[in-house]
């Protein structure tokens, strides 16, 4: 009777976690209806305006594979007959939510059947709400899809080694592993690295339990390599570009601590509390794994579940070690968000561990509460930030609507130039002040010139007299805008500030430029 009560209570908690997670996912859906994007997202919304051929060609010159962009473009094209006036930005954000519905489906089917309802509920809560992850439910980038593909591949990897399953089912799991693995590799390169770790886990399972199936493993690997061959030339060119020029800063061994902060640090107002909770959660995670290892050692029994838990941690650890090794040997190529594809495996291992220690109810309940408190606070911080940006975006769009198709706009920061340019009339001229814009993003979106001195602005202003209604604007970012305005005013230009505005994560001031006699055009 006591065991039944404990199991019933565990299932109830699992259902509650699933319900809460579904509500959070619904809130993420609602947050998709804001039109703000940042520089990285501009690559996505810019690329989907081109043909599939051009899109793939642009992607080959960037640093990511093309599948995610093709998915977004396909959904946008699919929606056009249904809602002709639908905003591509909103559709693209909605596309970012889709993979989380896939994770929900796996939580209530595959994970629930094999590991229980509690594990499925806690896992899904973690991938929705734990530090950093909530933002990727709406960001117009490939990370949510990469997380889904890697997690699905990992689950089917477990299915291939399930000795209780029929041989036919094992082969179906193998086919799913290949499909999801290729999808991950065509979505993001560190997702590809994560899938390599998943394949390594399968190989180790076969070596321990059924060496005769190693031939199957080689078949799956061979099919995967053959499926990736069409992209290898583009990958080689991208690697060459990275070796010559890339924006990522060098790593140090302290960056390992940064990885832990990225994974575990919540978003409370008190930074000291955040640090304490991050250390506590990390310690708890390691302690849960250690407890399982000790129990297994003393029992002297095999536990496929424990090796699966260890593999989930190993997928992330292998990805991080690869990133550090490549960054030290080649050049810096790793940033913390590249861990996202492996975090489904990582938090699934956590959920399995918490489920295991529920045999000690008090400890299990405390750990579950700790995870829920951190996750809910992190999601609340994400939601508040998104709502704040959405409110400010309305004012920003009003300000940008002042800029007409015959106007010219000056900038002092290329990212702001590129992002605001997406919201401006296509014919409006754009210029960077003493800088050059990134070539690829200009080809994807719109071209941008360069101005070097105030005399060029004066000549541009004089040309406005020939075009009635034309105005020159300055969208200035950072404190350097004040120095630029002072320089222009010293050169005889009148620069009138119109206000300060927020576009996603970019604050800028809008100025109207005219001649020093206060005549505007």
């Amino acid at each position: 009777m006591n065991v039944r009560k404990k199991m019933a209570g565990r299932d109830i908690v699992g259902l509650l976690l699933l319900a809460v997670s579904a509500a959070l996912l619904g809130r993420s859906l609602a947050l998709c209806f804001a039109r703000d994007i940042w520089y990285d997202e501009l690559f996505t919304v810019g690329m989907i305006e081109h043909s599939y051929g051009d899109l793939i060609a642009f992607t080959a010159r960037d640093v990511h594979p093309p599948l995610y962009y093709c998915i977004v473009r396909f959904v946008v094209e699919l929606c056009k007959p249904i809602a002709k006036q639908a905003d591509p930005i909103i559709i693209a954000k909605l596309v970012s939510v889709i993979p989380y519905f896939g994770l929900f489906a796996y939580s209530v089917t595959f994970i629930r059947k094999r590991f229980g309802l509690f594990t499925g509920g806690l896992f899904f809560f973690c991938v929705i709400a734990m530090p950093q992850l909530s933002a990727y439910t709406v960001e117009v980038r490939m990370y949510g899809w990469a997380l889904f593909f890697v997690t699905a591949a990992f689950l089917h990897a477990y299915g291939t080694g399930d000795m209780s399953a029929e041989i036919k089912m094992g082969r179906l799991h193998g086919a799913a592993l290949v499909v999801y693995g290729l999808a991950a590799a065509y979505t993001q390169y560190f997702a590809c690295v994560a899938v390599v770790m998943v394949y390594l886990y399968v190989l180790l399972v076969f070596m321990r339990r059924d060496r005769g199936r190693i031939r199957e493993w080689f078949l799956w690997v061979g099919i995967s390599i053959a499926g990736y061959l069409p992209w290898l030339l583009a990958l080689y060119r991208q690697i060459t570009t990275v070796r010559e020029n890339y924006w990522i800063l060098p790593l140090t061994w302290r960056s390992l601590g940064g990885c832990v902060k990225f994974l575990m640090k919540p978003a409370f107002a008190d930074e000291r509390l955040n640090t304490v909770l991050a250390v506590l959660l990390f310690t708890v995670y390691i302690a849960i794994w250690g407890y399982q290892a000790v129990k297994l050692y003393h029992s002297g029994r095999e536990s496929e579940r424990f090796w699966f838990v260890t593999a989930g941690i190993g997928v992330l650890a292998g990805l991080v070690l690869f990133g550090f090794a490549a960054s030290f040997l080649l050049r810096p190529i790793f940033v913390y968000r590249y861990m996202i594809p492996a975090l489904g495996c990582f938090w699934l291992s956590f959920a399995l561990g918490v489920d295991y220690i529920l045999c000690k109810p008090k400890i299990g309940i405390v750990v579950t509460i700790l995870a829920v408190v951190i996750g809910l606070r992190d999601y609340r911080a994400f939601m508040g930030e998104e709502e704040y940006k959405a409110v400010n975006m309305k004012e920003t769009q009003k300000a940008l609507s002042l800029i007409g198709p015959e106007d010219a706009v000056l900038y002092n920061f290329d990212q702001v130039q590129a992002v605001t340019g997406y919201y401006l009339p296509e014919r409006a001229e754009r210029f960077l002040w003493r800088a050059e814009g990134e070539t690829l993003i200009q080809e994807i979106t719109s071209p941008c010139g360069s101005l070097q001195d105030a005399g060029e602005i004066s000549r541009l202003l004089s040309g406005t007299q020939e075009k009635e209604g034309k105005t020159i604007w300055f969208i200035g970012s950072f404190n350097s805008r004040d120095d630029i305005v002072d320089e222009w005013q010293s050169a005889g230009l009148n620069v009138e500030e119109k206000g300060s505005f927020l576009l996603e994560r970019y604050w800028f001031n809008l100025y109207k430029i005219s001649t020093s006699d206060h005549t505007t055009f």
Side-chain angles (χ1 to χ4, degrees), residues 39-51 54-63 69 141 418 422 426 438-447:
Y39 189 66
D40 280 13
E41 293 175 300
L42 180 64
F43 278 87
T44 301
V45 297
M47 282 189 189
I48 62 176
E49 294 179 351
H50 297 271
S51 67
D54 289 342
L55 181 155
I56 292 172
F58 283 135
T59 308
R61 293 169 55 193
D62 191 26
V63 292
Y69 303 110
R141 296 296 286 163
Y422 182 82
E426 187 175 348
E438 185 178 347
T439 302
L440 180 59
I441 195 65
Q442 290 187 60
E443 292 182 26
I444 293 172
T445 55
S446 56

mmCIF file of all heavy atoms in Angstrom, residues 39-51 54-63 69 141 418 422 426 438-447:
data_model
loop_
_atom_site.group_PDB
_atom_site.id
_atom_site.type_symbol
_atom_site.label_atom_id
_atom_site.label_comp_id
_atom_site.label_asym_id
_atom_site.label_seq_id
_atom_site.Cartn_x
_atom_site.Cartn_y
_atom_site.Cartn_z
ATOM 1 N N TYR A 39 20.370 41.104 -33.949
ATOM 2 C CA TYR A 39 21.238 40.925 -35.109
ATOM 3 C C TYR A 39 21.277 39.481 -35.603
ATOM 4 O O TYR A 39 21.145 39.210 -36.804
ATOM 5 C CB TYR A 39 22.649 41.400 -34.770
ATOM 6 C CG TYR A 39 23.601 41.479 -35.936
ATOM 7 C CD1 TYR A 39 23.385 42.395 -36.966
ATOM 8 C CD2 TYR A 39 24.723 40.661 -36.010
ATOM 9 C CE1 TYR A 39 24.268 42.490 -38.031
ATOM 10 C CE2 TYR A 39 25.613 40.747 -37.056
ATOM 11 C CZ TYR A 39 25.378 41.655 -38.071
ATOM 12 O OH TYR A 39 26.257 41.747 -39.123
ATOM 13 N N ASP A 40 21.477 38.510 -34.696
ATOM 14 C CA ASP A 40 21.542 37.111 -35.117
ATOM 15 C C ASP A 40 20.219 36.657 -35.738
ATOM 16 O O ASP A 40 20.204 35.886 -36.706
ATOM 17 C CB ASP A 40 21.888 36.223 -33.930
ATOM 18 C CG ASP A 40 23.388 36.226 -33.617
ATOM 19 O OD1 ASP A 40 24.092 37.105 -34.159
ATOM 20 O OD2 ASP A 40 23.847 35.380 -32.841
ATOM 21 N N GLU A 41 19.105 37.116 -35.161
ATOM 22 C CA GLU A 41 17.797 36.753 -35.702
ATOM 23 C C GLU A 41 17.567 37.365 -37.078
ATOM 24 O O GLU A 41 16.804 36.826 -37.880
ATOM 25 C CB GLU A 41 16.695 37.191 -34.741
ATOM 26 C CG GLU A 41 16.703 36.444 -33.419
ATOM 27 C CD GLU A 41 15.672 36.983 -32.454
ATOM 28 O OE1 GLU A 41 15.760 38.177 -32.108
ATOM 29 O OE2 GLU A 41 14.782 36.222 -32.038
ATOM 30 N N LEU A 42 18.222 38.482 -37.348
ATOM 31 C CA LEU A 42 18.087 39.121 -38.653
ATOM 32 C C LEU A 42 18.582 38.204 -39.763
ATOM 33 O O LEU A 42 18.032 38.211 -40.875
ATOM 34 C CB LEU A 42 18.854 40.450 -38.678
ATOM 35 C CG LEU A 42 18.806 41.225 -39.986
ATOM 36 C CD1 LEU A 42 17.382 41.669 -40.310
ATOM 37 C CD2 LEU A 42 19.734 42.439 -39.929
ATOM 38 N N PHE A 43 19.620 37.403 -39.485
ATOM 39 C CA PHE A 43 20.088 36.445 -40.483
ATOM 40 C C PHE A 43 18.957 35.508 -40.891
ATOM 41 O O PHE A 43 18.793 35.181 -42.065
ATOM 42 C CB PHE A 43 21.272 35.638 -39.928
ATOM 43 C CG PHE A 43 22.586 36.351 -40.031
ATOM 44 C CD1 PHE A 43 23.008 37.220 -39.041
ATOM 45 C CD2 PHE A 43 23.403 36.163 -41.130
ATOM 46 C CE1 PHE A 43 24.223 37.878 -39.128
ATOM 47 C CE2 PHE A 43 24.625 36.817 -41.238
ATOM 48 C CZ PHE A 43 25.032 37.684 -40.230
ATOM 49 N N THR A 44 18.173 35.078 -39.895
ATOM 50 C CA THR A 44 17.074 34.158 -40.198
ATOM 51 C C THR A 44 15.988 34.835 -41.024
ATOM 52 O O THR A 44 15.615 34.350 -42.104
ATOM 53 C CB THR A 44 16.456 33.613 -38.897
ATOM 54 O OG1 THR A 44 17.465 32.944 -38.135
ATOM 55 C CG2 THR A 44 15.332 32.635 -39.214
ATOM 56 N N VAL A 45 15.467 35.967 -40.534
ATOM 57 C CA VAL A 45 14.350 36.610 -41.239
ATOM 58 C C VAL A 45 14.804 37.185 -42.573
ATOM 59 O O VAL A 45 13.992 37.340 -43.495
ATOM 60 C CB VAL A 45 13.697 37.706 -40.364
ATOM 61 C CG1 VAL A 45 13.103 37.100 -39.111
ATOM 62 C CG2 VAL A 45 14.672 38.811 -39.993
ATOM 63 N N GLY A 46 16.093 37.483 -42.692
ATOM 64 C CA GLY A 46 16.607 37.947 -43.979
ATOM 65 C C GLY A 46 16.733 36.807 -44.979
ATOM 66 O O GLY A 46 16.353 36.931 -46.149
ATOM 67 N N MET A 47 17.256 35.676 -44.524
ATOM 68 C CA MET A 47 17.478 34.546 -45.433
ATOM 69 C C MET A 47 16.175 33.974 -45.979
ATOM 70 O O MET A 47 16.121 33.551 -47.139
ATOM 71 C CB MET A 47 18.257 33.449 -44.708
ATOM 72 C CG MET A 47 19.748 33.730 -44.582
ATOM 73 S SD MET A 47 20.610 32.271 -43.969
ATOM 74 C CE MET A 47 22.249 32.956 -43.671
ATOM 75 N N ILE A 48 15.122 33.945 -45.169
ATOM 76 C CA ILE A 48 13.887 33.299 -45.627
ATOM 77 C C ILE A 48 13.174 34.109 -46.698
ATOM 78 O O ILE A 48 12.209 33.619 -47.298
ATOM 79 C CB ILE A 48 12.927 33.040 -44.447
ATOM 80 C CG1 ILE A 48 12.502 34.359 -43.779
ATOM 81 C CG2 ILE A 48 13.561 32.102 -43.440
ATOM 82 C CD1 ILE A 48 11.474 34.171 -42.676
ATOM 83 N N GLU A 49 13.647 35.317 -46.990
ATOM 84 C CA GLU A 49 13.081 36.097 -48.083
ATOM 85 C C GLU A 49 13.662 35.702 -49.433
ATOM 86 O O GLU A 49 13.204 36.166 -50.471
ATOM 87 C CB GLU A 49 13.314 37.590 -47.826
ATOM 88 C CG GLU A 49 12.561 38.121 -46.605
ATOM 89 C CD GLU A 49 12.822 39.595 -46.370
ATOM 90 O OE1 GLU A 49 13.721 40.153 -47.045
ATOM 91 O OE2 GLU A 49 12.148 40.186 -45.513
ATOM 92 N N HIS A 50 14.680 34.848 -49.410
ATOM 93 C CA HIS A 50 15.339 34.406 -50.641
ATOM 94 C C HIS A 50 14.899 32.992 -51.013
ATOM 95 O O HIS A 50 14.276 32.293 -50.217
ATOM 96 C CB HIS A 50 16.860 34.459 -50.461
ATOM 97 C CG HIS A 50 17.395 35.837 -50.205
ATOM 98 N ND1 HIS A 50 17.773 36.692 -51.213
ATOM 99 C CD2 HIS A 50 17.580 36.515 -49.041
ATOM 100 C CE1 HIS A 50 18.195 37.836 -50.686
ATOM 101 N NE2 HIS A 50 18.091 37.749 -49.372
ATOM 102 N N SER A 51 15.244 32.570 -52.219
ATOM 103 C CA SER A 51 14.931 31.216 -52.679
ATOM 104 C C SER A 51 15.742 30.206 -51.865
ATOM 105 O O SER A 51 16.734 30.555 -51.208
ATOM 106 C CB SER A 51 15.271 31.073 -54.158
ATOM 107 O OG SER A 51 16.683 31.158 -54.348
ATOM 108 N N ASP A 54 19.413 30.279 -53.004
ATOM 109 C CA ASP A 54 20.167 31.408 -52.462
ATOM 110 C C ASP A 54 20.359 31.266 -50.966
ATOM 111 O O ASP A 54 21.426 31.592 -50.416
ATOM 112 C CB ASP A 54 19.438 32.720 -52.764
ATOM 113 C CG ASP A 54 19.504 33.093 -54.235
ATOM 114 O OD1 ASP A 54 20.375 32.538 -54.946
ATOM 115 O OD2 ASP A 54 18.686 33.921 -54.692
ATOM 116 N N LEU A 55 19.325 30.784 -50.286
ATOM 117 C CA LEU A 55 19.408 30.595 -48.839
ATOM 118 C C LEU A 55 20.552 29.643 -48.475
ATOM 119 O O LEU A 55 21.357 29.929 -47.574
ATOM 120 C CB LEU A 55 18.063 30.052 -48.342
ATOM 121 C CG LEU A 55 17.837 29.779 -46.860
ATOM 122 C CD1 LEU A 55 16.337 29.849 -46.554
ATOM 123 C CD2 LEU A 55 18.357 28.405 -46.452
ATOM 124 N N ILE A 56 20.628 28.535 -49.176
ATOM 125 C CA ILE A 56 21.695 27.565 -48.900
ATOM 126 C C ILE A 56 23.058 28.158 -49.236
ATOM 127 O O ILE A 56 24.046 27.939 -48.519
ATOM 128 C CB ILE A 56 21.434 26.259 -49.680
ATOM 129 C CG1 ILE A 56 20.191 25.566 -49.114
ATOM 130 C CG2 ILE A 56 22.639 25.326 -49.615
ATOM 131 C CD1 ILE A 56 19.717 24.374 -49.931
ATOM 132 N N ALA A 57 23.128 28.935 -50.325
ATOM 133 C CA ALA A 57 24.398 29.569 -50.698
ATOM 134 C C ALA A 57 24.834 30.577 -49.634
ATOM 135 O O ALA A 57 26.019 30.640 -49.268
ATOM 136 C CB ALA A 57 24.244 30.266 -52.050
ATOM 137 N N PHE A 58 23.896 31.376 -49.132
ATOM 138 C CA PHE A 58 24.220 32.318 -48.054
ATOM 139 C C PHE A 58 24.683 31.575 -46.801
ATOM 140 O O PHE A 58 25.655 31.968 -46.150
ATOM 141 C CB PHE A 58 23.000 33.179 -47.710
ATOM 142 C CG PHE A 58 22.720 34.274 -48.690
ATOM 143 C CD1 PHE A 58 21.427 34.510 -49.135
ATOM 144 C CD2 PHE A 58 23.737 35.092 -49.162
ATOM 145 C CE1 PHE A 58 21.151 35.527 -50.033
ATOM 146 C CE2 PHE A 58 23.473 36.115 -50.067
ATOM 147 C CZ PHE A 58 22.171 36.337 -50.508
ATOM 148 N N THR A 59 23.984 30.480 -46.473
ATOM 149 C CA THR A 59 24.334 29.720 -45.277
ATOM 150 C C THR A 59 25.727 29.135 -45.393
ATOM 151 O O THR A 59 26.476 29.081 -44.412
ATOM 152 C CB THR A 59 23.315 28.584 -45.051
ATOM 153 O OG1 THR A 59 22.003 29.116 -45.083
ATOM 154 C CG2 THR A 59 23.538 27.914 -43.718
ATOM 155 N N ALA A 60 26.080 28.694 -46.589
ATOM 156 C CA ALA A 60 27.416 28.131 -46.801
ATOM 157 C C ALA A 60 28.507 29.152 -46.543
ATOM 158 O O ALA A 60 29.640 28.790 -46.196
ATOM 159 C CB ALA A 60 27.528 27.585 -48.227
ATOM 160 N N ARG A 61 28.183 30.440 -46.679
ATOM 161 C CA ARG A 61 29.160 31.502 -46.404
ATOM 162 C C ARG A 61 29.118 31.962 -44.958
ATOM 163 O O ARG A 61 29.952 32.758 -44.538
ATOM 164 C CB ARG A 61 28.890 32.679 -47.343
ATOM 165 C CG ARG A 61 29.157 32.356 -48.806
ATOM 166 C CD ARG A 61 28.619 33.446 -49.705
ATOM 167 N NE ARG A 61 29.129 34.751 -49.347
ATOM 168 C CZ ARG A 61 28.633 35.899 -49.808
ATOM 169 N NH1 ARG A 61 27.591 35.883 -50.628
ATOM 170 N NH2 ARG A 61 29.160 37.049 -49.432
ATOM 171 N N ASP A 62 28.128 31.479 -44.202
ATOM 172 C CA ASP A 62 28.007 31.821 -42.789
ATOM 173 C C ASP A 62 28.712 30.729 -41.966
ATOM 174 O O ASP A 62 29.628 30.084 -42.451
ATOM 175 C CB ASP A 62 26.519 31.961 -42.438
ATOM 176 C CG ASP A 62 26.273 32.581 -41.075
ATOM 177 O OD1 ASP A 62 27.146 33.341 -40.611
ATOM 178 O OD2 ASP A 62 25.227 32.302 -40.473
ATOM 179 N N VAL A 63 28.271 30.502 -40.731
ATOM 180 C CA VAL A 63 28.940 29.529 -39.869
ATOM 181 C C VAL A 63 27.973 28.460 -39.364
ATOM 182 O O VAL A 63 28.237 27.808 -38.358
ATOM 183 C CB VAL A 63 29.619 30.230 -38.668
ATOM 184 C CG1 VAL A 63 30.780 31.062 -39.141
ATOM 185 C CG2 VAL A 63 28.621 31.076 -37.885
ATOM 186 N N TYR A 69 17.029 27.139 -41.417
ATOM 187 C CA TYR A 69 16.527 28.217 -42.266
ATOM 188 C C TYR A 69 15.513 27.684 -43.283
ATOM 189 O O TYR A 69 14.524 28.357 -43.598
ATOM 190 C CB TYR A 69 17.683 28.904 -42.987
ATOM 191 C CG TYR A 69 18.738 29.463 -42.058
ATOM 192 C CD1 TYR A 69 20.000 28.883 -41.974
ATOM 193 C CD2 TYR A 69 18.474 30.562 -41.250
ATOM 194 C CE1 TYR A 69 20.973 29.388 -41.121
ATOM 195 C CE2 TYR A 69 19.439 31.073 -40.397
ATOM 196 C CZ TYR A 69 20.682 30.473 -40.341
ATOM 197 O OH TYR A 69 21.633 30.972 -39.482
ATOM 198 N N ARG A 141 16.238 31.529 -33.854
ATOM 199 C CA ARG A 141 17.501 30.869 -34.165
ATOM 200 C C ARG A 141 17.297 29.360 -34.073
ATOM 201 O O ARG A 141 16.239 28.876 -33.677
ATOM 202 C CB ARG A 141 18.619 31.317 -33.205
ATOM 203 C CG ARG A 141 18.946 32.786 -33.317
ATOM 204 C CD ARG A 141 19.501 33.136 -34.677
ATOM 205 N NE ARG A 141 20.873 32.694 -34.882
ATOM 206 C CZ ARG A 141 21.448 32.590 -36.073
ATOM 207 N NH1 ARG A 141 20.754 32.851 -37.171
ATOM 208 N NH2 ARG A 141 22.710 32.205 -36.187
ATOM 209 N N ALA A 418 21.856 47.268 -39.345
ATOM 210 C CA ALA A 418 21.271 46.121 -40.032
ATOM 211 C C ALA A 418 19.871 45.809 -39.509
ATOM 212 O O ALA A 418 18.943 45.579 -40.294
ATOM 213 C CB ALA A 418 22.186 44.906 -39.864
ATOM 214 N N TYR A 422 15.768 46.626 -41.342
ATOM 215 C CA TYR A 422 14.711 45.685 -41.694
ATOM 216 C C TYR A 422 13.334 46.333 -41.580
ATOM 217 O O TYR A 422 12.401 45.951 -42.298
ATOM 218 C CB TYR A 422 14.792 44.457 -40.780
ATOM 219 C CG TYR A 422 13.768 43.392 -41.100
ATOM 220 C CD1 TYR A 422 13.984 42.467 -42.124
ATOM 221 C CD2 TYR A 422 12.570 43.320 -40.394
ATOM 222 C CE1 TYR A 422 13.041 41.501 -42.425
ATOM 223 C CE2 TYR A 422 11.618 42.356 -40.688
ATOM 224 C CZ TYR A 422 11.856 41.452 -41.706
ATOM 225 O OH TYR A 422 10.910 40.501 -42.007
ATOM 226 N N GLU A 426 12.392 50.180 -48.066
ATOM 227 C CA GLU A 426 13.512 49.586 -48.799
ATOM 228 C C GLU A 426 14.360 50.635 -49.509
ATOM 229 O O GLU A 426 15.578 50.493 -49.613
ATOM 230 C CB GLU A 426 12.963 48.571 -49.811
ATOM 231 C CG GLU A 426 14.038 47.779 -50.511
ATOM 232 C CD GLU A 426 13.476 46.707 -51.413
ATOM 233 O OE1 GLU A 426 12.252 46.435 -51.322
ATOM 234 O OE2 GLU A 426 14.233 46.146 -52.223
ATOM 235 N N GLU A 438 28.955 44.489 -42.404
ATOM 236 C CA GLU A 438 29.302 43.121 -42.762
ATOM 237 C C GLU A 438 28.732 42.799 -44.141
ATOM 238 O O GLU A 438 27.547 42.992 -44.400
ATOM 239 C CB GLU A 438 28.752 42.149 -41.712
ATOM 240 C CG GLU A 438 29.168 40.715 -41.954
ATOM 241 C CD GLU A 438 28.668 39.773 -40.878
ATOM 242 O OE1 GLU A 438 28.214 40.258 -39.819
ATOM 243 O OE2 GLU A 438 28.708 38.546 -41.105
ATOM 244 N N THR A 439 29.587 42.302 -45.019
ATOM 245 C CA THR A 439 29.208 42.068 -46.411
ATOM 246 C C THR A 439 28.041 41.099 -46.531
ATOM 247 O O THR A 439 27.073 41.354 -47.269
ATOM 248 C CB THR A 439 30.408 41.540 -47.200
ATOM 249 O OG1 THR A 439 31.486 42.483 -47.114
ATOM 250 C CG2 THR A 439 30.041 41.322 -48.661
ATOM 251 N N LEU A 440 28.096 39.980 -45.817
ATOM 252 C CA LEU A 440 27.076 38.950 -45.973
ATOM 253 C C LEU A 440 25.693 39.449 -45.564
ATOM 254 O O LEU A 440 24.714 39.240 -46.287
ATOM 255 C CB LEU A 440 27.444 37.714 -45.148
ATOM 256 C CG LEU A 440 26.457 36.545 -45.226
ATOM 257 C CD1 LEU A 440 26.294 36.068 -46.668
ATOM 258 C CD2 LEU A 440 26.912 35.403 -44.327
ATOM 259 N N ILE A 441 25.599 40.136 -44.448
ATOM 260 C CA ILE A 441 24.283 40.587 -43.996
ATOM 261 C C ILE A 441 23.726 41.657 -44.930
ATOM 262 O O ILE A 441 22.507 41.756 -45.125
ATOM 263 C CB ILE A 441 24.337 41.113 -42.537
ATOM 264 C CG1 ILE A 441 22.926 41.234 -41.948
ATOM 265 C CG2 ILE A 441 25.041 42.449 -42.466
ATOM 266 C CD1 ILE A 441 22.209 39.945 -41.792
ATOM 267 N N GLN A 442 24.603 42.463 -45.570
ATOM 268 C CA GLN A 442 24.122 43.434 -46.545
ATOM 269 C C GLN A 442 23.553 42.736 -47.772
ATOM 270 O O GLN A 442 22.546 43.181 -48.331
ATOM 271 C CB GLN A 442 25.262 44.371 -46.954
ATOM 272 C CG GLN A 442 25.688 45.327 -45.846
ATOM 273 C CD GLN A 442 26.692 46.352 -46.349
ATOM 274 O OE1 GLN A 442 26.415 47.118 -47.260
ATOM 275 N NE2 GLN A 442 27.876 46.358 -45.753
ATOM 276 N N GLU A 443 24.181 41.650 -48.191
ATOM 277 C CA GLU A 443 23.670 40.909 -49.342
ATOM 278 C C GLU A 443 22.344 40.227 -49.002
ATOM 279 O O GLU A 443 21.456 40.120 -49.844
ATOM 280 C CB GLU A 443 24.699 39.873 -49.793
ATOM 281 C CG GLU A 443 25.954 40.479 -50.388
ATOM 282 C CD GLU A 443 26.932 39.418 -50.858
ATOM 283 O OE1 GLU A 443 26.477 38.298 -51.174
ATOM 284 O OE2 GLU A 443 28.144 39.698 -50.895
ATOM 285 N N ILE A 444 22.221 39.766 -47.771
ATOM 286 C CA ILE A 444 20.994 39.087 -47.352
ATOM 287 C C ILE A 444 19.847 40.075 -47.197
ATOM 288 O O ILE A 444 18.701 39.777 -47.567
ATOM 289 C CB ILE A 444 21.232 38.324 -46.032
ATOM 290 C CG1 ILE A 444 22.212 37.175 -46.255
ATOM 291 C CG2 ILE A 444 19.919 37.796 -45.455
ATOM 292 C CD1 ILE A 444 22.648 36.479 -44.987
ATOM 293 N N THR A 445 20.139 41.260 -46.653
ATOM 294 C CA THR A 445 19.075 42.231 -46.368
ATOM 295 C C THR A 445 19.137 43.412 -47.332
ATOM 296 O O THR A 445 18.477 43.409 -48.356
ATOM 297 C CB THR A 445 19.167 42.702 -44.908
ATOM 298 O OG1 THR A 445 20.495 43.235 -44.641
ATOM 299 C CG2 THR A 445 18.912 41.560 -43.943
ATOM 300 N N SER A 446 19.923 44.435 -47.001
ATOM 301 C CA SER A 446 19.990 45.625 -47.858
ATOM 302 C C SER A 446 21.371 46.264 -47.748
ATOM 303 O O SER A 446 22.028 46.161 -46.705
ATOM 304 C CB SER A 446 18.917 46.643 -47.442
ATOM 305 O OG SER A 446 19.061 46.977 -46.074
ATOM 306 N N PRO A 447 21.836 46.933 -48.804
ATOM 307 C CA PRO A 447 23.185 47.523 -48.798
ATOM 308 C C PRO A 447 23.283 48.741 -47.905
ATOM 309 O O PRO A 447 22.290 49.401 -47.604
ATOM 310 C CB PRO A 447 23.411 47.895 -50.269
ATOM 311 C CG PRO A 447 22.043 48.103 -50.819
ATOM 312 C CD PRO A 447 21.154 47.132 -50.089
#
